[in-house]
Amino acid sequence: MKTNNQQFELHLIGQLLPKDYTYAIGDSRVILHGIKDKKFIEQVSSECNIALGSFALERKNMKEACTLKVREYLNFGLPVYSGHVDVFPSEFKFYKVGLPSITEILKYAEQCENTTKLEVLNESANYIDKAYLVRNLYNDLEKLKSC
């Protein structure tokens, strides 16, 4: 972000490492909210174009994850840019894996700018809707039972 001059708003909810906090308070494009509840996150999300998933999973010796926050963002109708692989196929356009580069994040936001929240929600349903997932699990188990 230090070398990027583009204008944007980055809303950060939660705690930051001290070095990240020091940088964030000095950048007027970053809005720090601290730790907030789901209702507040949903309210802020309604004003955003994309959401950020988890980055730096390697700190926990992880390469893949299936995080709740990604499902919540998709349920809010937000495309997600993340640093880790999830269950979504590569052709699913509303979940992008990439480096934590503000330039790349902003490019993805630009690609998604004409997308409605309803479109994101509808196309995400197969991956996040419990009824759909349970129905698929049941069908798969039925197939195994008949083998």
Side-chain angles (χ1 to χ4, degrees), residues 5-127:
N5 298 346
Q6 291 176 269
Q7 287 303 306
F8 59 87
E9 283 186 0
L10 175 62
H11 293 264
L12 294 177
I13 299 172
Q15 287 184 307
L16 296 175
L17 296 172
K19 67 179 180 136
D20 295 330
Y21 179 80
T22 301
Y23 177 77
I25 61 170
D27 189 328
S28 62
R29 302 171 297 178
V30 179
I31 301 162
L32 299 172
H33 295 287
I35 298 173
K36 299 292 181 185
D37 63 18
K38 184 179 177 178
K39 184 177 180 180
F40 181 86
I41 294 169
E42 190 169 0
Q43 177 188 350
V44 169
S45 295
S46 71
E47 301 169 18
C48 296
N49 298 325
I50 67 167
L52 300 179
S54 298
F55 293 92
L57 287 179
E58 71 277 356
R59 291 182 193 154
K60 297 180 181 179
N61 291 324
M62 296 172 64
K63 293 180 183 172
E64 296 183 19
C66 186
T67 61
L68 177 60
K69 79 175 182 174
V70 167
R71 275 113 194 104
E72 287 177 337
Y73 291 148
L74 290 170
N75 193 49
F76 297 157
L78 291 173
V80 178
Y81 183 98
S82 186
H84 70 277
V85 174
D86 204 312
V87 300
F88 310 104
S90 59
E91 64 272 6
F92 179 63
K93 62 184 174 184
F94 299 123
Y95 185 83
K96 179 168 177 68
V97 178
L99 297 172
S101 158
I102 195 63
T103 302
E104 292 304 311
I105 292 166
L106 293 173
K107 278 184 194 175
Y108 180 63
E110 219 173 273
Q111 291 171 6
C112 297
E113 72 182 345
N114 293 321
T115 304
T116 67
K117 293 187 184 304
L118 185 58
E119 183 181 351
V120 174
L121 180 59
N122 288 339
E123 290 197 33
S124 301
N126 293 349
Y127 306 106

